[in-house]
Amino acid sequence: MKRANQFGLPTRICIALVLSLWMFVCLYPFAVVLGGSFTAESEIRRGISVIPREFSTASYELLFATPRRVIRAYQVTIFVTVVGTVLSVLVNAMMAYAISRPNCRYRYQLGFFAYFTLLFSGGMVAWYIVMVNFLGLRNTIWAMIVPYLANAWFLLILRAYFQSIPNDFAESARMDGAGEMRIFLQIFLPLSIPAIAAITLFTAMRYWNDWWLGIMLIDDTDLQPLQLMLRSVMSRVQFLASDMGRRASDLGITVPTRGLRFATTIVTIGPIVFLYPFLQKYFIKGLTIGGIKG
Amino acid sequence: MKRKHRSYTPAAPLEAPAHKLGAVGRVVSGVIGELVKNRTLYMMCIPAIVLFILVNYLPLFGLILPFKDFSFAEGIVGSPWAEPLFANFEYFFRSGVAWRVTRNTFLYNLAFIVIGTIVAVSLAIMLNEMKTKVFVKITQASFLLPFFISWIVGGMLLRALLAYDYGVFNQVLARFGHNPLDWYGTPEAWPAILVVADSWREGGYRTVLYLAALAGIDPQLYEVAEMDGASRWRQIRSITVPLLTPTISILALLEVGRIMNADFGKFYALVGENSRIFPTADVIDTYVFRTLRNVGDIGMAAAPAMYQSVIGFVLVMLVNWYMRRKFPQGSLF
C-alpha cells in the first residue's frame, strides 16, 4: 500500500541529495574546526581543511600546558548546570502542579502571573541594576543560576502535562490521607517522567550553553563558564601572540594562536557532541510534548 | 481547628459567620480561607513566585529609568529626573542609530521567520518522503546538532569559514582565481550570512516541529488521493501543505510577536564589537548592551530598551488577540 504512494526513484534520489547537502552544511563547520585544531600553526595560515595538511597536536599541548583555566571553567559550568537544573525543574514543577489542581482557587491568577513574564519585560538595563544593586549577584556563582530558575514557559508546559493526568489519581490518594506534597512527589512526578525529562534536558542545555549571564554579571576569570572561556581565548590568543609569542618567535618557535582557538572550541563542545546521540531522542520527544501546543 | 480541608466539598471560608462581616471582610476571609485550606499548594508556588518577582517583576520599575539621571549610589527611585525629561530618547532618536537598529532588528527577524520557515517546511516534507529509516535518522540528527551548541561556538565555527587568511570561503575563492574577500569588513555580505547561520542552527529544531505535524496527518487522505489518481506532487500541494498551514501560522505568529526582540546571543557572538559591519548587523539588543557595558550610561541604554519593551508588548498582545480569534484551541491562555 505504501509502495505506490511515493515519488519515483529519480525524484527520491534528488530529495536524498538535497537532504545530504543540508546535512553537509550542518556538519562541515564542525569537521573543519576539528581539522584545524590538529593542523600545525605554520600551515593554518595557508588555509584549514577537514584533513590537516600537516598533523600536529601542538594546539592541544599548549591548551593543556596550563590546564587550570580549562578545568576551572568546566567546574563552573558543571556546577551551574547541575545545581541550576535540579533547582529549576523542582521550582517550576511545584508551582505547575499547584496551579494544575482544580481545587486551587487562584490557579488562573497564578498562571497569568507567570505568563505575564513572557509578555512584558523591564528590559536589559533595569534587569541588570536589580541583579547587581538589589540582589548583589555580581561575581558570584549564583548570578549564573538564579535568573533562569523560574521559567514561565517550562512551567506552563508542565502544568498542561499535569492537567492531562486524570484527577482521580489525586482524589484516591487524598482519600487514603496523602498530602499534596506527597501526591506531587509520589504520583504526579513519576507519571510525568516524559515531560520532566524533556524539561530537564531543555533546562540543562540552557545552563550549559549560557554565557549571557556570565557576560553581564561575571568579571572574575575564576568564575568564567566554559562558553566565556572560549570567548576570552580570543584576547588571550592576542596576548600570547604579542608577548609570549614574540619571545617564542625569537627562539624560533611558532605559538599556535589560531590553533589554540580551534582546540578550545573542540574541548568546549566535546561532551555535548559525545552525549548528543543519547540526548537527541529525548529532545525530539520533548519538543513534540511542549512545542506544538505553544 | 484540626479539621482537614482537603476534600472537594467547599468548606466554610472561616470560623466567623459570613453575615457578621462587611463586604470587604467577606472577601478577605474568603481569600484567607482559601489560602489556609490549600496552604500546601500555595506554599509550593512560593519559590517560583519569589523568583518571578525578583527577576521579572522588580525590573519593571526600571521603566522609569530612561527618564532618570541614574546613579548607582542613589538608586532607581532616588536619582534625579533627567533634564529635559526626554533627553535620553532624544539622544537615541537624533543620533540616527534608532532607525538603523530598528530596521535591522525588524528585517532580520522577518527574514529569519520567512526563510527559516521555508527551509524547515521543505526539509520536513522531504524527510517525510524518505522511507529508509537509517537515512532519516542520520540526517535528522545532523540537522539538529547545531541547535545543541551555543552561539559562541557558532561564532567560532563561522570564523573558520570566513577568516581572511585561513578561512574556507577564501580558499574556495582562490581556487577559482578570485582575490580573498575581507568578510568581516563587508557589510553587504552579512544579511545573507546571518540568515544562513540562523537556518543552520535553528533549522533542525523547526524541522522536528513540522515533522511532528506531518506525522499527525491521516494517511487515509493520501490513499484516497492515490485512488483518484493524484500524483505525489499533487498530494503534497493539495493535502500536505494545506494541513500544515495551521502549524506554520501558529509558529510564525509566535515569532512575529517577538519580531522586535533580536536574539542577542546570535548577533553578539557572530558580529560582536566589529563596528565595520554595524550598518547591516547592529540590532537593538546589541546596541543597548554596548551602551550599557562600554559607555556605561544607564539612561542612554534604558531608552532604547524601553522603546523595545513597549513595541514588543504591543506586538505580542496583537498576535495573541489574533491567535485567540483564529486558533481558539492553540493559544496558551
Side-chain angles (χ1 to χ4, degrees):
Chain A
M1 148 198 119
K2 271 277 159 218
R3 283 305 97 199
N5 218 349
Q6 60 185 20
F7 282 116
L9 193 62
T11 321
R12 270 184 295 147
I13 290 175
C14 285
I15 294 176
L17 282 177
V18 174
L19 289 172
S20 307
L21 184 73
W22 188 257
M23 182 164 84
F24 174 79
V25 169
C26 288
L27 299 182
Y28 182 71
F30 292 97
V32 98
V33 167
L34 184 65
S37 72
F38 281 110
T39 306
E41 185 69 16
S42 55
E43 285 297 310
I44 289 181
R45 203 161 310 146
R46 290 181 42 210
I48 54 171
S49 49
V50 177
I51 299 155
R53 245 177 272 219
E54 196 190 316
F55 186 82
S56 151
T57 52
S59 308
Y60 289 96
E61 279 160 30
L62 183 74
L63 182 63
F64 289 109
T66 48
R68 212 192 68 87
R69 188 85 184 275
V70 179
I71 293 173
R72 184 71 197 165
Y74 255 104
Q75 284 172 340
V76 170
T77 297
I78 290 173
F79 179 84
V80 165
T81 306
V82 171
V83 174
T85 306
V86 169
L87 288 180
S88 172
V89 170
L90 197 64
V91 161
N92 289 324
M94 279 200 309
M95 177 151 166
Y97 171 76
I99 63 173
S100 73
R101 297 299 86 214
N103 52 319
C104 173
R105 195 194 297 166
Y106 300 116
R107 58 189 184 280
Y108 296 118
Q109 288 86 336
L110 289 170
F112 185 79
F113 178 82
Y115 180 58
F116 183 76
T117 63
L118 295 174
L119 296 180
F120 196 51
S121 81
M124 178 194 300
V125 182
W127 176 88
Y128 176 76
I129 291 173
V130 170
M131 292 300 130
V132 172
N133 258 23
F134 192 78
L135 297 180
L137 284 177
R138 197 186 184 120
N139 280 330
T140 65
I141 190 110
W142 299 104
M144 290 176 281
I145 295 176
V146 172
Y148 287 167
L149 282 181
N151 182 306
W153 191 246
F154 296 159
L155 199 156
L156 294 175
I157 290 175
L158 284 175
R159 179 187 68 171
Y161 202 87
F162 290 143
Q163 279 169 340
S164 73
I165 296 173
N167 196 39
D168 302 345
F169 286 103
E171 278 284 21
S172 54
R174 215 172 274 132
M175 297 281 201
D176 295 339
E180 291 290 355
M181 200 65 197
R182 208 174 138 144
I183 299 174
F184 166 66
L185 288 174
Q186 295 192 343
I187 297 175
F188 276 72
L189 277 191
L191 283 174
S192 319
I193 283 181
I196 297 282
I199 298 295
T200 306
L201 182 58
F202 292 146
T203 313
M205 265 179 63
R206 189 164 189 220
Y207 276 113
W208 183 277
N209 280 336
D210 183 67
W211 45 281
W212 156 251
L213 294 175
I215 214 174
M216 288 298 273
L217 301 168
I218 305 289
D219 298 320
D220 186 352
T221 46
D222 253 6
L223 281 175
Q224 251 179 4
L226 214 43
Q227 309 291 338
L228 279 186
M229 183 204 67
L230 177 60
R231 185 172 169 270
S232 69
V233 160
M234 295 281 233
S235 44
R236 185 148 164 261
V237 161
Q238 276 148 19
F239 162 76
L240 278 169
S242 66
D243 201 23
M244 233 167 91
R246 215 172 297 134
R247 207 174 313 147
S249 63
D250 289 344
L251 299 169
I253 310 162
T254 328
V255 177
T257 53
R258 296 191 179 89
L260 184 64
R261 210 176 274 169
F262 301 137
T264 317
T265 310
I266 295 300
V267 167
T268 307
I269 59 178
I272 295 267
V273 174
F274 183 72
L275 286 174
Y276 178 67
F278 307 102
L279 297 180
Q280 194 230 137
K281 198 172 53 188
Y282 296 99
F283 185 81
I284 291 179
K285 237 186 248 165
L287 277 187
T288 39
I289 287 174
I292 291 302
K293 189 164 198 272
Chain B
M1 283 302 283
K2 266 282 176 191
R3 273 195 297 165
K4 279 197 173 167
H5 290 293
R6 287 196 181 114
S7 68
Y8 272 69
T9 48
L14 256 194
E15 270 49 21
H19 59 85
K20 282 204 179 153
L21 300 161
V24 177
R26 258 202 304 278
V27 170
V28 170
S29 78
V31 170
I32 292 174
E34 164 69 11
L35 291 183
V36 171
K37 192 179 98 185
N38 288 318
R39 58 190 171 278
T40 324
L41 289 181
Y42 291 108
M43 243 128 66
M44 289 170 88
C45 296
I46 287 177
I49 291 177
V50 169
L51 284 161
F52 278 130
I53 290 177
L54 291 178
V55 178
N56 301 95
Y57 281 88
L58 269 184
L60 291 182
F61 289 104
L63 290 174
I64 58 167
L65 272 176
F67 307 106
K68 287 275 189 168
D69 203 358
F70 181 80
S71 77
F72 275 95
E74 287 161 296
I76 295 180
V77 182
S79 297
W81 294 99
E83 292 278 346
L85 203 55
F86 286 92
N88 289 316
F89 285 99
E90 245 179 86
Y91 173 81
F92 175 58
F93 286 106
R94 286 254 171 90
S95 62
V97 176
W99 164 240
R100 186 177 86 185
V101 293
T102 308
R103 179 201 61 193
N104 286 351
T105 309
F106 179 79
L107 288 181
Y108 271 118
N109 279 329
L110 192 66
F112 294 157
I113 297 169
V114 173
I115 295 172
T117 305
I118 292 174
V119 168
V121 170
S122 324
L123 287 176
I125 290 178
M126 286 193 281
L127 270 176
N128 208 34
E129 293 303 317
M130 294 286 109
K131 302 298 175 206
T132 321
K133 270 231 163 114
V134 183
F135 180 79
V136 172
K137 278 215 162 125
I138 292 175
T139 37
Q140 204 187 352
S142 320
F143 294 174
L144 205 51
L145 179 63
F147 192 72
F148 274 70
I149 58 145
S150 69
W151 275 116
I152 286 272
V153 175
M156 289 289 183
L157 301 183
L158 186 66
R159 196 165 277 273
L161 301 179
L162 299 182
Y164 186 78
D165 47 359
Y166 59 81
V168 174
F169 281 24
N170 280 349
Q171 288 177 60
V172 174
L173 284 179
R175 186 153 304 166
F176 288 102
H178 288 284
N179 288 329
L181 198 61
D182 180 14
W183 298 94
Y184 284 92
T186 313
E188 297 79 22
W190 280 81
I193 293 171
L194 284 165
V195 168
V196 173
D198 173 75
S199 276
W200 174 78
R201 185 165 181 271
E202 327 258 329
Y205 156 82
R206 298 193 189 113
T207 305
V208 172
L209 297 181
Y210 288 120
L211 272 176
L214 282 175
I217 296 178
D218 186 355
Q220 284 187 339
L221 289 172
Y222 294 109
E223 281 158 31
V224 173
E226 182 81 15
M227 275 189 270
D228 287 347
S231 71
R232 192 66 183 156
W233 278 116
R234 184 61 209 264
Q235 291 173 25
I236 287 179
R237 255 189 310 139
S238 307
I239 301 174
T240 313
V241 173
L243 286 178
L244 220 46
T245 308
T247 313
I248 295 174
S249 338
I250 289 177
L251 291 177
L253 272 173
L254 276 173
E255 293 186 56
V256 168
R258 304 184 37 81
I259 207 161
M260 290 309 283
N261 296 68
D263 179 349
F264 172 83
K266 188 185 314 178
F267 285 90
Y268 195 69
L270 301 185
V271 176
E273 312 259 344
N274 179 1
S275 60
R276 288 186 298 166
I277 49 176
F278 279 168
T280 59
D282 196 17
V283 288
I284 301 179
D285 303 68
T286 46
Y287 172 74
V288 172
F289 177 81
R290 284 200 317 275
T291 316
L292 180 67
R293 293 307 306 256
N294 302 355
V295 184
D297 190 313
I298 297 287
M300 262 165 63
M306 177 182 176
Y307 160 77
Q308 183 185 37
S309 282
V310 172
I311 296 182
F313 181 65
V314 172
L315 283 172
V316 169
M317 292 317 279
L318 279 176
V319 165
N320 273 19
W321 169 79
Y322 181 75
M323 290 243 290
R324 216 171 311 172
R325 280 188 41 166
K326 203 152 179 245
F327 312 100
Q329 77 289 355
S331 74
L332 250 176
F333 221 75

